[in-house]
Amino acid sequence: MSKWVIVGGGMTGMALALAGSAAGQQVLVLEGAAETGGLTGTMPMHVGDTEVIVDRFYHVILESDTHVLALLDQLGMRDEVRWSSAPASVVANGVSYPATSFTDMARLPALSLPSRMLIGLSIGLSLLLPRFLADRLTARRWLTLTAGPSAYRNFWAPILRAKLGNQACRVAASFLVFTFRRLVSARLSGAGDRFGVLPGGYAEVLRRMEQKITGCGGEVRTGATVAEIVITGQSAEGRIRITLADGTQIFCDEVFVTTPGPITSGMLPQLTADEHDRLTAAPHLGVICGVFLVRQPPNDSYITYLVDDADLTGVIGMHALLPAVETGGAALLQLPRYCASDDEWFELSDEQIRDRLLAELARCLPDYRPEVIDWAISRAPHVVPLPLPRAREPLPHQTSLPGVHVVSTAQNTSGTLNVETSLHQAEAAVTG
Ligand SMILES: Cc1cc2nc3c(=O)[nH]c(=O)nc-3n(C[C@H](O)[C@H](O)[C@H](O)COP(=O)(O)OP(=O)(O)OC[C@H]3O[C@@H](n4cnc5c(N)ncnc54)[C@H](O)[C@@H]3O)c2cc1C
């Protein structure tokens, strides 16, 4: 039995630890925060005296998420998922239109008949776009070329903004190719197009994962921030020395680092200059998310796309997927602002962010004034590297340092982050 230390207790780290424990390794997870979960972490909120556990960031499961569903099976939780179709709408100049399907979107009044036909053509051509071209053009350039400026402005720009906020104009066309192919392969695989949610988010999933890890003799240590990882070759306990922020030292022969690229780079001073560059070169997409429990939602939609420029990326209505009984009778709204990792909003207080998000909401949906029962602000400066044109190849899992593996969003080249990809990546790192 060898000792595996896993840095980061998000879904990737916990999945690695679960796989390692099942394979008979002695596993230690070091998580810097007070709780495991990372981006899938949860928090308590209140509706009167009722406490409800809420996702810090909204999460849905697709019927094609085979790794997520297999994990839920393993934990005896598949029946906990609430499945439903997810209505969507789009708001332009304060007026709301249905946008649940591409057909709805293509019927938007701002789109002429030729624009609608060009939108169909742009999807078809994107599926055929060869990789070397997709990696060189921006999505904006490609879609403006294939669908025309009007369809880009009124159709594609709001969709891209809902995924990438004010960073949407920078990404490569490969982001589209990946997204369209994922949607098409989900359809072809026969999986349905309903969305699933776990009441209380991933809290219970993480609790059961930890239970299984500790049941196999492993340990999950929270509040354990890793400051440095170096190869020493000096200790009988292992060649790799991990130093925590409080000075504690841990030795092992295998370490898996699951933190975002820039944090990973700072922890591993012995990596080569090329490896540091690959971890830090791409600017990261960040997100600030207002989480609001409100008396009445603005509409029945899971997602409301915003055509007009806004400091808000979109409106996520979890009430469309979660029965109200799971949220103390209130409606759960999430107001994300996807942005650069150095966005000025990261400097603002929670109250300032709340006020700005609500002001933007009032500007975009002039007929809606939410009665807020409870609120919180979640922040993540390093969600995923932005897939820019001519990006560098990501770091392989095995670094130049023997026994030091990087398994994190640093290897995500698609710009689309989901738990399915995290679990798939963890599996690939363990099975080689
Ligand atoms: C707004 C938003 C919406 C999303 N929606 C969905 C969705 O609908 N469906 C879906 O499947 N996925 C969704 N995701 C993606 C999903 O949350 C991620 O794919 C997944 O959580 C990534 O897990 P991870 O472990 O790789 O990274 P992280 O969750 O970032 O985990 C990294 C961990 O490392 C810890 N850490 C950092 N520094 C240190 C240190 N120095 N020492 C020790 N620990 C450290 C962090 O605290 C964190 O726990 C969404 C993400 C966001 C942000």
Side-chain angles (χ1 to χ4, degrees), residues 3-7 16 28 30 226 229-231 239-242 251-258 267-268 397-399 401-407:
K3 180 169 169 185
W4 282 13
V5 173
I6 290 150
V7 179
L16 280 166
L28 169 63
L30 299 172
V226 172
I229 303 171
V230 290
I231 309 279
R239 293 167 297 102
I240 301 171
R241 186 184 71 214
I242 300 171
F251 292 86
C252 65
D253 284 318
E254 299 284 335
V255 61
F256 295 80
V257 186
T258 72
M267 259 177 219
L268 289 162
H397 289 146
Q398 172 60 62
T399 66
L401 306 173
V404 178
H405 312 265
V406 170
V407 188

PDB file of all heavy atoms in Angstrom, residues 3-7 16 28 30 226 229-231 239-242 251-258 267-268 397-399 401-407:
ATOM      1  N   LYS A   3       1.093   5.679  -0.026  1.00  0.00           N
ATOM      2  CA  LYS A   3       0.297   6.780   0.526  1.00  0.00           C
ATOM      3  C   LYS A   3       0.055   7.815  -0.570  1.00  0.00           C
ATOM      4  O   LYS A   3       0.998   8.281  -1.203  1.00  0.00           O
ATOM      5  CB  LYS A   3       1.067   7.406   1.691  1.00  0.00           C
ATOM      6  CG  LYS A   3       0.332   8.547   2.333  1.00  0.00           C
ATOM      7  CD  LYS A   3       1.043   8.904   3.632  1.00  0.00           C
ATOM      8  CE  LYS A   3       0.537  10.198   4.207  1.00  0.00           C
ATOM      9  NZ  LYS A   3       1.307  10.580   5.395  1.00  0.00           N
ATOM     10  N   TRP A   4      -1.230   8.104  -0.791  1.00  0.00           N
ATOM     11  CA  TRP A   4      -1.590   9.143  -1.762  1.00  0.00           C
ATOM     12  C   TRP A   4      -2.040  10.372  -0.993  1.00  0.00           C
ATOM     13  O   TRP A   4      -2.980  10.294  -0.191  1.00  0.00           O
ATOM     14  CB  TRP A   4      -2.787   8.710  -2.598  1.00  0.00           C
ATOM     15  CG  TRP A   4      -2.516   7.737  -3.692  1.00  0.00           C
ATOM     16  CD1 TRP A   4      -1.392   6.993  -3.891  1.00  0.00           C
ATOM     17  CD2 TRP A   4      -3.429   7.399  -4.748  1.00  0.00           C
ATOM     18  NE1 TRP A   4      -1.548   6.206  -5.000  1.00  0.00           N
ATOM     19  CE2 TRP A   4      -2.786   6.443  -5.546  1.00  0.00           C
ATOM     20  CE3 TRP A   4      -4.707   7.813  -5.092  1.00  0.00           C
ATOM     21  CZ2 TRP A   4      -3.390   5.884  -6.662  1.00  0.00           C
ATOM     22  CZ3 TRP A   4      -5.306   7.258  -6.197  1.00  0.00           C
ATOM     23  CH2 TRP A   4      -4.647   6.308  -6.992  1.00  0.00           C
ATOM     24  N   VAL A   5      -1.402  11.508  -1.271  1.00  0.00           N
ATOM     25  CA  VAL A   5      -1.927  12.758  -0.725  1.00  0.00           C
ATOM     26  C   VAL A   5      -2.629  13.493  -1.864  1.00  0.00           C
ATOM     27  O   VAL A   5      -2.098  13.580  -2.982  1.00  0.00           O
ATOM     28  CB  VAL A   5      -0.799  13.615  -0.109  1.00  0.00           C
ATOM     29  CG1 VAL A   5      -1.341  14.984   0.308  1.00  0.00           C
ATOM     30  CG2 VAL A   5      -0.217  12.907   1.107  1.00  0.00           C
ATOM     31  N   ILE A   6      -3.825  13.966  -1.583  1.00  0.00           N
ATOM     32  CA  ILE A   6      -4.603  14.665  -2.597  1.00  0.00           C
ATOM     33  C   ILE A   6      -4.822  16.094  -2.124  1.00  0.00           C
ATOM     34  O   ILE A   6      -5.350  16.319  -1.032  1.00  0.00           O
ATOM     35  CB  ILE A   6      -5.930  13.929  -2.848  1.00  0.00           C
ATOM     36  CG1 ILE A   6      -5.590  12.613  -3.557  1.00  0.00           C
ATOM     37  CG2 ILE A   6      -6.873  14.752  -3.695  1.00  0.00           C
ATOM     38  CD1 ILE A   6      -6.495  11.509  -3.290  1.00  0.00           C
ATOM     39  N   VAL A   7      -4.375  17.038  -2.919  1.00  0.00           N
ATOM     40  CA  VAL A   7      -4.487  18.450  -2.527  1.00  0.00           C
ATOM     41  C   VAL A   7      -5.748  19.017  -3.167  1.00  0.00           C
ATOM     42  O   VAL A   7      -5.878  19.074  -4.389  1.00  0.00           O
ATOM     43  CB  VAL A   7      -3.234  19.236  -2.975  1.00  0.00           C
ATOM     44  CG1 VAL A   7      -3.367  20.706  -2.582  1.00  0.00           C
ATOM     45  CG2 VAL A   7      -1.988  18.627  -2.362  1.00  0.00           C
ATOM     46  N   LEU A  16     -10.844  11.300  -6.779  1.00  0.00           N
ATOM     47  CA  LEU A  16      -9.528  10.632  -6.772  1.00  0.00           C
ATOM     48  C   LEU A  16      -9.349   9.842  -5.483  1.00  0.00           C
ATOM     49  O   LEU A  16      -8.866   8.705  -5.482  1.00  0.00           O
ATOM     50  CB  LEU A  16      -8.412  11.677  -6.870  1.00  0.00           C
ATOM     51  CG  LEU A  16      -8.103  12.240  -8.255  1.00  0.00           C
ATOM     52  CD1 LEU A  16      -7.231  13.479  -8.130  1.00  0.00           C
ATOM     53  CD2 LEU A  16      -7.394  11.186  -9.100  1.00  0.00           C
ATOM     54  N   LEU A  28      -4.915  10.537   1.906  1.00  0.00           N
ATOM     55  CA  LEU A  28      -5.094  11.716   2.755  1.00  0.00           C
ATOM     56  C   LEU A  28      -5.482  12.891   1.864  1.00  0.00           C
ATOM     57  O   LEU A  28      -4.742  13.259   0.946  1.00  0.00           O
ATOM     58  CB  LEU A  28      -3.776  12.040   3.494  1.00  0.00           C
ATOM     59  CG  LEU A  28      -3.729  13.387   4.218  1.00  0.00           C
ATOM     60  CD1 LEU A  28      -4.763  13.475   5.345  1.00  0.00           C
ATOM     61  CD2 LEU A  28      -2.328  13.652   4.781  1.00  0.00           C
ATOM     62  N   LEU A  30      -6.149  16.880   1.568  1.00  0.00           N
ATOM     63  CA  LEU A  30      -5.871  18.145   2.258  1.00  0.00           C
ATOM     64  C   LEU A  30      -6.700  19.239   1.594  1.00  0.00           C
ATOM     65  O   LEU A  30      -6.455  19.592   0.430  1.00  0.00           O
ATOM     66  CB  LEU A  30      -4.379  18.479   2.154  1.00  0.00           C
ATOM     67  CG  LEU A  30      -3.425  17.463   2.788  1.00  0.00           C
ATOM     68  CD1 LEU A  30      -1.972  17.813   2.447  1.00  0.00           C
ATOM     69  CD2 LEU A  30      -3.620  17.396   4.306  1.00  0.00           C
ATOM     70  N   VAL A 226      -2.373  23.942   1.629  1.00  0.00           N
ATOM     71  CA  VAL A 226      -1.024  23.541   1.222  1.00  0.00           C
ATOM     72  C   VAL A 226      -0.273  24.763   0.696  1.00  0.00           C
ATOM     73  O   VAL A 226      -0.793  25.509  -0.141  1.00  0.00           O
ATOM     74  CB  VAL A 226      -1.105  22.442   0.136  1.00  0.00           C
ATOM     75  CG1 VAL A 226       0.271  22.150  -0.448  1.00  0.00           C
ATOM     76  CG2 VAL A 226      -1.733  21.184   0.726  1.00  0.00           C
ATOM     77  N   ILE A 229       5.011  22.182  -2.189  1.00  0.00           N
ATOM     78  CA  ILE A 229       5.273  20.746  -2.401  1.00  0.00           C
ATOM     79  C   ILE A 229       6.643  20.641  -3.079  1.00  0.00           C
ATOM     80  O   ILE A 229       6.847  21.212  -4.159  1.00  0.00           O
ATOM     81  CB  ILE A 229       4.189  20.124  -3.323  1.00  0.00           C
ATOM     82  CG1 ILE A 229       2.786  20.342  -2.728  1.00  0.00           C
ATOM     83  CG2 ILE A 229       4.459  18.642  -3.551  1.00  0.00           C
ATOM     84  CD1 ILE A 229       1.648  19.961  -3.667  1.00  0.00           C
ATOM     85  N   VAL A 230       7.584  19.946  -2.429  1.00  0.00           N
ATOM     86  CA  VAL A 230       8.914  19.798  -3.052  1.00  0.00           C
ATOM     87  C   VAL A 230       9.393  18.351  -2.945  1.00  0.00           C
ATOM     88  O   VAL A 230       9.017  17.620  -2.034  1.00  0.00           O
ATOM     89  CB  VAL A 230       9.987  20.731  -2.407  1.00  0.00           C
ATOM     90  CG1 VAL A 230       9.744  22.183  -2.738  1.00  0.00           C
ATOM     91  CG2 VAL A 230      10.060  20.535  -0.903  1.00  0.00           C
ATOM     92  N   ILE A 231      10.248  17.974  -3.894  1.00  0.00           N
ATOM     93  CA  ILE A 231      10.894  16.662  -3.836  1.00  0.00           C
ATOM     94  C   ILE A 231      12.151  16.839  -2.992  1.00  0.00           C
ATOM     95  O   ILE A 231      12.990  17.689  -3.309  1.00  0.00           O
ATOM     96  CB  ILE A 231      11.320  16.193  -5.254  1.00  0.00           C
ATOM     97  CG1 ILE A 231      10.157  16.282  -6.247  1.00  0.00           C
ATOM     98  CG2 ILE A 231      11.954  14.818  -5.204  1.00  0.00           C
ATOM     99  CD1 ILE A 231       9.191  15.174  -6.231  1.00  0.00           C
ATOM    100  N   ARG A 239       9.559  10.685  -0.522  1.00  0.00           N
ATOM    101  CA  ARG A 239      10.466  11.663  -1.154  1.00  0.00           C
ATOM    102  C   ARG A 239       9.834  13.046  -1.296  1.00  0.00           C
ATOM    103  O   ARG A 239      10.502  14.033  -1.519  1.00  0.00           O
ATOM    104  CB  ARG A 239      10.823  11.200  -2.580  1.00  0.00           C
ATOM    105  CG  ARG A 239      11.655   9.966  -2.688  1.00  0.00           C
ATOM    106  CD  ARG A 239      11.656   9.462  -4.128  1.00  0.00           C
ATOM    107  NE  ARG A 239      10.307   9.074  -4.560  1.00  0.00           N
ATOM    108  CZ  ARG A 239       9.514   9.807  -5.342  1.00  0.00           C
ATOM    109  NH1 ARG A 239       9.918  10.948  -5.829  1.00  0.00           N
ATOM    110  NH2 ARG A 239       8.300   9.383  -5.653  1.00  0.00           N
ATOM    111  N   ILE A 240       8.497  13.091  -1.224  1.00  0.00           N
ATOM    112  CA  ILE A 240       7.815  14.366  -1.476  1.00  0.00           C
ATOM    113  C   ILE A 240       7.455  15.018  -0.142  1.00  0.00           C
ATOM    114  O   ILE A 240       6.842  14.381   0.718  1.00  0.00           O
ATOM    115  CB  ILE A 240       6.543  14.122  -2.316  1.00  0.00           C
ATOM    116  CG1 ILE A 240       6.916  13.459  -3.649  1.00  0.00           C
ATOM    117  CG2 ILE A 240       5.779  15.416  -2.536  1.00  0.00           C
ATOM    118  CD1 ILE A 240       5.724  12.984  -4.462  1.00  0.00           C
ATOM    119  N   ARG A 241       7.854  16.284   0.035  1.00  0.00           N
ATOM    120  CA  ARG A 241       7.520  16.991   1.283  1.00  0.00           C
ATOM    121  C   ARG A 241       6.453  18.049   0.993  1.00  0.00           C
ATOM    122  O   ARG A 241       6.630  18.909   0.134  1.00  0.00           O
ATOM    123  CB  ARG A 241       8.763  17.672   1.861  1.00  0.00           C
ATOM    124  CG  ARG A 241       8.475  18.289   3.238  1.00  0.00           C
ATOM    125  CD  ARG A 241       9.672  19.052   3.761  1.00  0.00           C
ATOM    126  NE  ARG A 241       9.885  20.273   3.001  1.00  0.00           N
ATOM    127  CZ  ARG A 241      11.076  20.799   2.742  1.00  0.00           C
ATOM    128  NH1 ARG A 241      12.184  20.228   3.175  1.00  0.00           N
ATOM    129  NH2 ARG A 241      11.177  21.918   2.033  1.00  0.00           N
ATOM    130  N   ILE A 242       5.344  17.931   1.731  1.00  0.00           N
ATOM    131  CA  ILE A 242       4.240  18.889   1.577  1.00  0.00           C
ATOM    132  C   ILE A 242       4.220  19.767   2.823  1.00  0.00           C
ATOM    133  O   ILE A 242       4.149  19.248   3.945  1.00  0.00           O
ATOM    134  CB  ILE A 242       2.897  18.137   1.434  1.00  0.00           C
ATOM    135  CG1 ILE A 242       2.960  17.240   0.196  1.00  0.00           C
ATOM    136  CG2 ILE A 242       1.729  19.103   1.352  1.00  0.00           C
ATOM    137  CD1 ILE A 242       1.795  16.294   0.072  1.00  0.00           C
ATOM    138  N   PHE A 251       4.930  13.813   4.489  1.00  0.00           N
ATOM    139  CA  PHE A 251       5.763  13.198   3.459  1.00  0.00           C
ATOM    140  C   PHE A 251       4.988  12.087   2.755  1.00  0.00           C
ATOM    141  O   PHE A 251       4.170  11.401   3.384  1.00  0.00           O
ATOM    142  CB  PHE A 251       7.040  12.626   4.090  1.00  0.00           C
ATOM    143  CG  PHE A 251       7.956  13.702   4.594  1.00  0.00           C
ATOM    144  CD1 PHE A 251       7.792  14.240   5.873  1.00  0.00           C
ATOM    145  CD2 PHE A 251       8.966  14.206   3.782  1.00  0.00           C
ATOM    146  CE1 PHE A 251       8.614  15.254   6.332  1.00  0.00           C
ATOM    147  CE2 PHE A 251       9.802  15.212   4.242  1.00  0.00           C
ATOM    148  CZ  PHE A 251       9.624  15.743   5.516  1.00  0.00           C
ATOM    149  N   CYS A 252       5.238  11.903   1.476  1.00  0.00           N
ATOM    150  CA  CYS A 252       4.580  10.822   0.729  1.00  0.00           C
ATOM    151  C   CYS A 252       5.373  10.567  -0.553  1.00  0.00           C
ATOM    152  O   CYS A 252       6.344  11.278  -0.850  1.00  0.00           O
ATOM    153  CB  CYS A 252       3.135  11.215   0.381  1.00  0.00           C
ATOM    154  SG  CYS A 252       3.027  12.608  -0.745  1.00  0.00           S
ATOM    155  N   ASP A 253       4.943   9.551  -1.321  1.00  0.00           N
ATOM    156  CA  ASP A 253       5.589   9.256  -2.601  1.00  0.00           C
ATOM    157  C   ASP A 253       4.718   9.604  -3.803  1.00  0.00           C
ATOM    158  O   ASP A 253       5.198   9.609  -4.934  1.00  0.00           O
ATOM    159  CB  ASP A 253       6.005   7.787  -2.661  1.00  0.00           C
ATOM    160  CG  ASP A 253       7.252   7.537  -1.827  1.00  0.00           C
ATOM    161  OD1 ASP A 253       8.175   8.373  -1.892  1.00  0.00           O
ATOM    162  OD2 ASP A 253       7.285   6.527  -1.092  1.00  0.00           O
ATOM    163  N   GLU A 254       3.412   9.836  -3.557  1.00  0.00           N
ATOM    164  CA  GLU A 254       2.508  10.202  -4.660  1.00  0.00           C
ATOM    165  C   GLU A 254       1.628  11.347  -4.193  1.00  0.00           C
ATOM    166  O   GLU A 254       0.971  11.240  -3.152  1.00  0.00           O
ATOM    167  CB  GLU A 254       1.573   9.036  -5.031  1.00  0.00           C
ATOM    168  CG  GLU A 254       2.237   7.770  -5.501  1.00  0.00           C
ATOM    169  CD  GLU A 254       2.766   7.841  -6.930  1.00  0.00           C
ATOM    170  OE1 GLU A 254       2.252   8.647  -7.731  1.00  0.00           O
ATOM    171  OE2 GLU A 254       3.706   7.084  -7.223  1.00  0.00           O
ATOM    172  N   VAL A 255       1.587  12.425  -4.949  1.00  0.00           N
ATOM    173  CA  VAL A 255       0.663  13.522  -4.610  1.00  0.00           C
ATOM    174  C   VAL A 255      -0.104  13.915  -5.877  1.00  0.00           C
ATOM    175  O   VAL A 255       0.455  13.954  -6.975  1.00  0.00           O
ATOM    176  CB  VAL A 255       1.408  14.726  -3.982  1.00  0.00           C
ATOM    177  CG1 VAL A 255       2.441  15.331  -4.922  1.00  0.00           C
ATOM    178  CG2 VAL A 255       0.432  15.812  -3.542  1.00  0.00           C
ATOM    179  N   PHE A 256      -1.408  14.153  -5.684  1.00  0.00           N
ATOM    180  CA  PHE A 256      -2.288  14.589  -6.781  1.00  0.00           C
ATOM    181  C   PHE A 256      -2.774  15.993  -6.439  1.00  0.00           C
ATOM    182  O   PHE A 256      -3.429  16.190  -5.411  1.00  0.00           O
ATOM    183  CB  PHE A 256      -3.495  13.652  -6.922  1.00  0.00           C
ATOM    184  CG  PHE A 256      -3.131  12.253  -7.336  1.00  0.00           C
ATOM    185  CD1 PHE A 256      -2.647  11.339  -6.425  1.00  0.00           C
ATOM    186  CD2 PHE A 256      -3.286  11.863  -8.651  1.00  0.00           C
ATOM    187  CE1 PHE A 256      -2.311  10.048  -6.806  1.00  0.00           C
ATOM    188  CE2 PHE A 256      -2.953  10.576  -9.055  1.00  0.00           C
ATOM    189  CZ  PHE A 256      -2.457   9.668  -8.125  1.00  0.00           C
ATOM    190  N   VAL A 257      -2.443  16.956  -7.280  1.00  0.00           N
ATOM    191  CA  VAL A 257      -2.814  18.339  -6.996  1.00  0.00           C
ATOM    192  C   VAL A 257      -4.016  18.704  -7.882  1.00  0.00           C
ATOM    193  O   VAL A 257      -3.938  18.625  -9.105  1.00  0.00           O
ATOM    194  CB  VAL A 257      -1.631  19.295  -7.266  1.00  0.00           C
ATOM    195  CG1 VAL A 257      -1.988  20.711  -6.832  1.00  0.00           C
ATOM    196  CG2 VAL A 257      -0.386  18.814  -6.537  1.00  0.00           C
ATOM    197  N   THR A 258      -5.117  19.100  -7.233  1.00  0.00           N
ATOM    198  CA  THR A 258      -6.357  19.340  -7.994  1.00  0.00           C
ATOM    199  C   THR A 258      -6.771  20.811  -8.000  1.00  0.00           C
ATOM    200  O   THR A 258      -7.886  21.132  -8.395  1.00  0.00           O
ATOM    201  CB  THR A 258      -7.520  18.488  -7.427  1.00  0.00           C
ATOM    202  OG1 THR A 258      -7.917  19.025  -6.157  1.00  0.00           O
ATOM    203  CG2 THR A 258      -7.157  17.030  -7.271  1.00  0.00           C
ATOM    204  N   MET A 267       2.431  26.451  -5.812  1.00  0.00           N
ATOM    205  CA  MET A 267       2.756  25.412  -4.817  1.00  0.00           C
ATOM    206  C   MET A 267       3.976  24.575  -5.196  1.00  0.00           C
ATOM    207  O   MET A 267       4.561  23.924  -4.366  1.00  0.00           O
ATOM    208  CB  MET A 267       1.599  24.391  -4.810  1.00  0.00           C
ATOM    209  CG  MET A 267       0.634  24.494  -3.745  1.00  0.00           C
ATOM    210  SD  MET A 267      -0.601  23.227  -4.113  1.00  0.00           S
ATOM    211  CE  MET A 267      -2.026  24.132  -3.632  1.00  0.00           C
ATOM    212  N   LEU A 268       4.273  24.542  -6.504  1.00  0.00           N
ATOM    213  CA  LEU A 268       5.272  23.593  -7.009  1.00  0.00           C
ATOM    214  C   LEU A 268       6.475  24.331  -7.609  1.00  0.00           C
ATOM    215  O   LEU A 268       6.639  24.413  -8.838  1.00  0.00           O
ATOM    216  CB  LEU A 268       4.632  22.693  -8.077  1.00  0.00           C
ATOM    217  CG  LEU A 268       3.632  21.663  -7.560  1.00  0.00           C
ATOM    218  CD1 LEU A 268       2.748  21.132  -8.685  1.00  0.00           C
ATOM    219  CD2 LEU A 268       4.366  20.505  -6.889  1.00  0.00           C
ATOM    220  N   HIS A 397      -1.046  14.853 -16.940  1.00  0.00           N
ATOM    221  CA  HIS A 397      -1.277  14.596 -15.507  1.00  0.00           C
ATOM    222  C   HIS A 397       0.031  14.355 -14.754  1.00  0.00           C
ATOM    223  O   HIS A 397       0.241  14.865 -13.665  1.00  0.00           O
ATOM    224  CB  HIS A 397      -2.207  13.386 -15.319  1.00  0.00           C
ATOM    225  CG  HIS A 397      -3.623  13.675 -15.724  1.00  0.00           C
ATOM    226  ND1 HIS A 397      -4.449  12.745 -16.283  1.00  0.00           N
ATOM    227  CD2 HIS A 397      -4.350  14.804 -15.667  1.00  0.00           C
ATOM    228  CE1 HIS A 397      -5.620  13.284 -16.547  1.00  0.00           C
ATOM    229  NE2 HIS A 397      -5.585  14.538 -16.187  1.00  0.00           N
ATOM    230  N   GLN A 398       0.924  13.557 -15.339  1.00  0.00           N
ATOM    231  CA  GLN A 398       2.211  13.299 -14.677  1.00  0.00           C
ATOM    232  C   GLN A 398       3.156  14.450 -15.014  1.00  0.00           C
ATOM    233  O   GLN A 398       3.440  14.697 -16.179  1.00  0.00           O
ATOM    234  CB  GLN A 398       2.785  11.960 -15.172  1.00  0.00           C
ATOM    235  CG  GLN A 398       4.209  11.688 -14.705  1.00  0.00           C
ATOM    236  CD  GLN A 398       4.358  11.631 -13.175  1.00  0.00           C
ATOM    237  OE1 GLN A 398       3.773  10.787 -12.523  1.00  0.00           O
ATOM    238  NE2 GLN A 398       5.148  12.551 -12.605  1.00  0.00           N
ATOM    239  N   THR A 399       3.639  15.156 -14.002  1.00  0.00           N
ATOM    240  CA  THR A 399       4.539  16.290 -14.267  1.00  0.00           C
ATOM    241  C   THR A 399       5.975  15.772 -14.415  1.00  0.00           C
ATOM    242  O   THR A 399       6.234  14.565 -14.314  1.00  0.00           O
ATOM    243  CB  THR A 399       4.499  17.298 -13.093  1.00  0.00           C
ATOM    244  OG1 THR A 399       5.061  16.655 -11.949  1.00  0.00           O
ATOM    245  CG2 THR A 399       3.081  17.745 -12.802  1.00  0.00           C
ATOM    246  N   LEU A 401       8.113  16.070 -12.247  1.00  0.00           N
ATOM    247  CA  LEU A 401       8.559  15.657 -10.903  1.00  0.00           C
ATOM    248  C   LEU A 401       7.977  14.276 -10.599  1.00  0.00           C
ATOM    249  O   LEU A 401       6.744  14.124 -10.588  1.00  0.00           O
ATOM    250  CB  LEU A 401       8.074  16.673  -9.854  1.00  0.00           C
ATOM    251  CG  LEU A 401       8.450  18.133 -10.115  1.00  0.00           C
ATOM    252  CD1 LEU A 401       7.772  19.053  -9.096  1.00  0.00           C
ATOM    253  CD2 LEU A 401       9.960  18.291 -10.057  1.00  0.00           C
ATOM    254  N   PRO A 402       8.815  13.273 -10.360  1.00  0.00           N
ATOM    255  CA  PRO A 402       8.316  11.919 -10.143  1.00  0.00           C
ATOM    256  C   PRO A 402       7.316  11.872  -8.980  1.00  0.00           C
ATOM    257  O   PRO A 402       7.582  12.411  -7.904  1.00  0.00           O
ATOM    258  CB  PRO A 402       9.571  11.101  -9.806  1.00  0.00           C
ATOM    259  CG  PRO A 402      10.722  11.948 -10.214  1.00  0.00           C
ATOM    260  CD  PRO A 402      10.273  13.370 -10.261  1.00  0.00           C
ATOM    261  N   GLY A 403       6.163  11.260  -9.227  1.00  0.00           N
ATOM    262  CA  GLY A 403       5.151  11.104  -8.175  1.00  0.00           C
ATOM    263  C   GLY A 403       4.264  12.324  -8.002  1.00  0.00           C
ATOM    264  O   GLY A 403       3.338  12.305  -7.187  1.00  0.00           O
ATOM    265  N   VAL A 404       4.522  13.402  -8.737  1.00  0.00           N
ATOM    266  CA  VAL A 404       3.689  14.611  -8.604  1.00  0.00           C
ATOM    267  C   VAL A 404       2.748  14.702  -9.818  1.00  0.00           C
ATOM    268  O   VAL A 404       3.193  14.842 -10.953  1.00  0.00           O
ATOM    269  CB  VAL A 404       4.557  15.890  -8.510  1.00  0.00           C
ATOM    270  CG1 VAL A 404       3.661  17.127  -8.432  1.00  0.00           C
ATOM    271  CG2 VAL A 404       5.476  15.820  -7.301  1.00  0.00           C
ATOM    272  N   HIS A 405       1.437  14.578  -9.543  1.00  0.00           N
ATOM    273  CA  HIS A 405       0.436  14.589 -10.612  1.00  0.00           C
ATOM    274  C   HIS A 405      -0.417  15.854 -10.481  1.00  0.00           C
ATOM    275  O   HIS A 405      -0.773  16.252  -9.372  1.00  0.00           O
ATOM    276  CB  HIS A 405      -0.499  13.379 -10.499  1.00  0.00           C
ATOM    277  CG  HIS A 405       0.241  12.084 -10.308  1.00  0.00           C
ATOM    278  ND1 HIS A 405       0.561  11.246 -11.357  1.00  0.00           N
ATOM    279  CD2 HIS A 405       0.740  11.490  -9.191  1.00  0.00           C
ATOM    280  CE1 HIS A 405       1.217  10.195 -10.890  1.00  0.00           C
ATOM    281  NE2 HIS A 405       1.346  10.312  -9.574  1.00  0.00           N
ATOM    282  N   VAL A 406      -0.754  16.424 -11.615  1.00  0.00           N
ATOM    283  CA  VAL A 406      -1.697  17.557 -11.623  1.00  0.00           C
ATOM    284  C   VAL A 406      -2.962  17.088 -12.336  1.00  0.00           C
ATOM    285  O   VAL A 406      -2.909  16.636 -13.487  1.00  0.00           O
ATOM    286  CB  VAL A 406      -1.092  18.794 -12.335  1.00  0.00           C
ATOM    287  CG1 VAL A 406      -2.152  19.869 -12.541  1.00  0.00           C
ATOM    288  CG2 VAL A 406       0.067  19.348 -11.522  1.00  0.00           C
ATOM    289  N   VAL A 407      -4.071  17.118 -11.619  1.00  0.00           N
ATOM    290  CA  VAL A 407      -5.359  16.677 -12.190  1.00  0.00           C
ATOM    291  C   VAL A 407      -6.361  17.761 -11.838  1.00  0.00           C
ATOM    292  O   VAL A 407      -6.938  17.772 -10.746  1.00  0.00           O
ATOM    293  CB  VAL A 407      -5.831  15.342 -11.562  1.00  0.00           C
ATOM    294  CG1 VAL A 407      -7.059  14.814 -12.294  1.00  0.00           C
ATOM    295  CG2 VAL A 407      -4.717  14.311 -11.547  1.00  0.00           C
TER     296      VAL A 407
END
